[in-house]
Amino acid sequence: MGRARGDPWPVIQEAAKVGIYSLDFYAQQFFDPTGLGIPMAVEELFWGDAGIALSIVGTGLAAVGVLANGTEEQIGTWIPQMYGDTDDVKVAAFCSSEPDAGSDVGAMRTRAVYDEAKDEWVLNGTKTWATNGGIANVHVVVAVVDPDLGTKGHASFIVPPNTPASPRARSSRSTASAPRTPPRSSWRTSASPAPACSAARRGWTSGSPAPASGPGRAGSG
């Protein structure tokens, strides 16, 4: 992967070396009784450079999406792959916003359709403004599974590394320090093991297969 001027990769790698970009860091801070560790670290990062800081903390958006909606197996499998390690640093991207659906997730058009013959989910749509999009090791993509359910018919899909994409999918970087998601994304992602994450404690109400290893209505991501 090439390194552009202002590229955040060297800074992210250095952040991993000093311990502020890692799964262990966030796990330790989660048990901090004061709850101040992460806010203080984030404040200092953004004071230095907002674009670089966003690339460092952007992976957390995808991680939280899986942590909130995924199964224990999905959490244990995919979140470590979002960060990598000091010798092989990775990033992840949370892809929810669209050209006509920023904070209004109810207007989302990206669809997820289950291909029963191939036992896989096909994601087709346009995503924008996703930090680390296109260069991420793991993408978490929110898509519409059942439009009749409104936002309750959304699911968050884990798109693993090297998932086949259509020729339309292309990388776009709006600024050197803030990599963005491909404007048009079309993935075919195997449903075994379940790449989609949803809240297992909820009941799936649609007639279509649940986008997870067990029953569970899709969360809005």
Side-chain angles (χ1 to χ4, degrees), residues 25-26 28-30 32-43:
F25 170 73
Y26 288 101
Q28 291 173 11
Q29 295 303 318
F30 181 80
D32 176 10
T34 69
L36 296 177
I38 290 179
M40 290 175 63
V42 169
E43 182 179 13

Side-chain angles (χ1 to χ4, degrees), residues 16 18-32 38 79-80 83-86:
V18 300
I20 60 173
Y21 182 81
S22 70
L23 181 57
D24 287 343
F25 170 73
Y26 288 101
Q28 291 173 11
Q29 295 303 318
F30 181 80
F31 293 102
D32 176 10
I38 290 179
I79 293 183
Y83 290 92
D85 54 44
T86 54

Side-chain angles (χ1 to χ4, degrees), residues 3-179:
R3 297 292 186 257
R5 181 181 180 183
D7 201 316
W9 279 103
V11 178
I12 296 175
Q13 291 169 339
E14 190 63 29
K17 291 179 181 178
V18 300
I20 60 173
Y21 182 81
S22 70
L23 181 57
D24 287 343
F25 170 73
Y26 288 101
Q28 291 173 11
Q29 295 303 318
F30 181 80
F31 293 102
D32 176 10
T34 69
L36 296 177
I38 290 179
M40 290 175 63
V42 169
E43 182 179 13
E44 290 297 312
L45 285 171
F46 277 84
W47 179 86
D49 186 289
I52 294 296
L54 187 59
S55 292
I56 292 176
V57 304
T59 295
L61 295 174
V64 169
V66 175
L67 185 63
N69 297 310
T71 64
E72 290 185 2
E73 180 182 0
Q74 290 165 342
I75 291 170
T77 299
W78 296 108
I79 293 183
Q81 294 187 43
M82 294 180 181
Y83 290 92
D85 54 44
T86 54
D87 296 323
D88 188 17
V89 176
K90 304 293 185 182
V91 295
F94 181 71
C95 308
S96 177
S97 296
E98 300 181 0
D100 299 315
S103 57
D104 180 14
V105 294
M108 188 178 300
R109 295 183 179 180
T110 296
R111 290 296 306 272
V113 179
Y114 181 65
D115 187 335
E116 187 173 357
K118 295 185 177 181
D119 189 27
E120 65 184 11
W121 288 87
V122 180
L123 309 183
N124 197 347
T126 302
K127 294 296 181 180
T128 54
W129 309 306
T131 301
N132 296 332
I135 66 169
N137 190 51
V138 177
H139 291 75
V140 177
V141 181
V142 184
V144 179
V145 176
D146 189 339
D148 293 335
L149 295 178
T151 56
K152 294 181 179 180
H154 294 180
S156 297
F157 289 81
I158 300 169
V159 180
N162 303 316
T163 298
S166 77
R168 292 187 311 157
R170 55 190 175 88
S171 296
S172 174
R173 190 178 303 197
S174 57
T175 65
S177 62

